[in-house]
Amino acid sequence: MDLVKFVEEQSVVNNKVPAFKAGDTISVHYKIREGNKERIQVYQGVVIQRNSTGNNETFTVRKVSNGIGVERIFPINSPNIDKIDVNNVGKVRRAKLFYLRELTGKAARIKSKRV
């Protein structure tokens, strides 16, 4: 098992990721390939969870687009992530914010942490 972890650590390129947690509003600049062209798409939303640790770590970002909630799971060490910007630090008391799925409108807002 240790040999497998060692090989994974050597092969994965670690991205410089800012410190963020569940409840923060972030912008993920993600590279998208269409044919032989490549462009960067910005996906902005609230972090619902961070899952796992190490090279396999992922985070889920939720946004509301045209009145429909959309969630997307990103691997932290993905080579397609160009950069991550933290827009707002949220004040929450849970690590997994699945309750936001049932809330709409003003009830779905997250308070900002005073800095």
Side-chain angles (χ1 to χ4, degrees):
M1 286 295 233
D2 294 331
L3 184 61
V4 173
K5 287 183 183 178
F6 177 75
V7 172
E8 283 181 355
E9 289 174 1
Q10 298 302 320
S11 64
V12 174
V13 177
N14 291 328
N15 292 340
K16 296 285 184 180
V17 179
F20 65 90
K21 59 181 180 26
D24 295 353
T25 304
I26 64 171
S27 297
V28 181
H29 298 259
Y30 199 74
K31 295 177 192 170
I32 294 184
R33 289 183 188 87
E34 295 171 337
N36 57 358
K37 294 185 211 171
E38 187 175 286
R39 66 183 175 89
I40 293 180
Q41 180 177 356
V42 180
Y43 192 89
Q44 182 176 355
V46 176
V47 177
I48 291 218
Q49 69 172 339
R50 285 185 76 158
N51 197 6
S52 188
T53 58
N55 293 330
N56 300 328
E57 187 172 359
T58 61
F59 60 98
T60 304
V61 181
R62 177 180 175 84
K63 74 174 183 177
V64 178
S65 178
N66 295 326
I68 299 172
V70 179
E71 292 183 9
R72 188 157 179 195
I73 301 171
F74 296 98
I76 288 267
N77 293 320
S78 172
N80 293 330
I81 292 180
D82 190 42
K83 67 176 179 174
I84 298 174
D85 295 329
V86 179
N87 301 335
N88 191 7
V89 178
K91 181 181 178 186
V92 293
R93 297 172 69 178
R94 294 178 181 266
K96 314 263 189 210
L97 305 179
F98 298 132
Y99 65 90
L100 289 177
R101 293 174 177 165
E102 282 81 42
L103 301 178
T104 58
K106 286 188 174 182
R109 288 185 300 182
I110 295 177
K111 292 182 181 178
S112 294
K113 191 178 277 190
R114 297 205 183 230
V115 179

